[in-house]
Amino acid sequence: KRMLSFEQALEKLLAAAQPVEEVRSLPLTVAAGRVLAHPQESSVAVPPLDNSAMDGYAVRFADITAKGVSLPVSQRIPAGTVGTTLQPGTAARIFTGAPIPAGADAVVMQELCEHGEAGVVINHQPRSGENIRRAGEDIAVGAEILPVGVKLQPQHIALAASAGLPELPVYRRLRVGVFFTGDELIQPGEPLPPGAIYNSNRYALVTLLEGMGCEVRDLGTVPDKLEATREALRKAAADNDLIITSGGVSVGEEDHVKPAVEAEGRLDMWKIAIKPGKPLAFGEVRRSSDAGKAWFVGLPGNPVSAMVTFMMMVRPFILRLQGASQLEPRRYRVRADFDWLR
């Protein structure tokens, strides 16, 4: 049977995936790592008022006709305080983030000013609007600040907070059940009998899934028996969206995952034109309680092949199930600091 290209196999996987339907509103403090279910708009302007970008003096541009002009200081405006209208021929001591008083149209940074007998000496002739951050300069009222499908990082949480949003609608966590077949598999810390191996795939998969924000249900190691494998599949399908195993999907007498999945649902066996990680099993397991199903992915048993196949194939599939819009690692074209001799 002709092998699938990587692109063909990934397209088949992603075409089958649909995001989980349940949406929950979570406080910002616990929303990081979740996938946004609905786009978010800002109901406020950020900043809400014209404000100073510097510690310095708010002035009227027309009053500074030359360097060295001396102006009396009429008021002091710290951040969080709204000053009074700036009278012509005066300056206001102002601090970073403080609202610009009405009448002022420039801020001269304090390093360019000095104290004089009559007030402050302005040793700089500013341009109109200098060192003023305009209302709505960062975010306009009604602007979309977070698109649907973004996997929320700390910067997204901070952005939502700056727009006054106390919580965000996110897809619920993807539930993934994992189990491993093989009488030869031993857990780290236990004595290693002749012919046995330590089960590294269990720890690789569980930590990979947890790192992706999945709710992982680890069913451990299942005996190399058909009925035990079928029972593990039924148990995993009952309350998980996805079941992942490694190994056991060949056609040997001790490989029971393939017939077990075929008995409990449907299975496709793919050979993908990649190395390592050529074999991949994909299908579904029926739930006995209703007409629903759980997706099934069978990874190769070789630890390197399992890791590569997970990262290249299963990771974007899981991201699609989570509702994420960015499925692949970001790529950047940069200049190489070496010569490539063909």
Side-chain angles (χ1 to χ4, degrees), residues 177-312:
V178 296
F179 68 85
F180 307 86
T181 62
D183 292 338
E184 77 280 10
L185 297 177
I186 302 297
Q187 300 311 310
E190 298 178 3
L192 192 66
I197 59 173
Y198 286 121
N199 186 1
S200 62
N201 282 350
R202 177 183 186 184
Y203 298 90
L205 288 177
V206 168
T207 52
L208 282 168
L209 291 165
E210 288 177 343
M212 292 188 67
C214 298
E215 187 177 321
V216 184
R217 282 80 180 270
D218 183 0
L219 280 68
T221 303
V222 175
D224 273 332
K225 294 181 173 55
L226 178 60
E227 188 49 47
T229 306
R230 291 186 63 177
E231 175 60 28
L233 286 171
R234 289 192 292 268
K235 182 178 179 182
D239 58 357
N240 289 298
D241 306 296
L242 171 65
I243 304 167
I244 300 180
T245 66
S246 68
V249 290
S250 186
V251 293
E253 295 180 4
E254 298 299 319
D255 295 318
H256 299 295
V257 173
K258 182 177 184 291
V261 175
E262 290 173 332
E264 298 294 333
R266 177 187 61 81
L267 185 69
D268 293 327
M269 297 289 292
W270 298 344
K271 289 185 177 179
I272 307 169
I274 60 174
K275 284 187 178 183
K278 180 171 68 174
L280 181 74
F282 175 67
E284 58 189 54
V285 178
R286 295 183 300 271
R287 294 193 181 106
S288 57
S289 58
D290 55 36
K293 64 186 179 185
W295 294 112
F296 173 84
V297 173
L299 296 176
N302 178 278
V304 175
S305 296
M307 178 75 77
V308 169
T309 309
F310 180 94
M311 296 303 295
M312 298 296 292

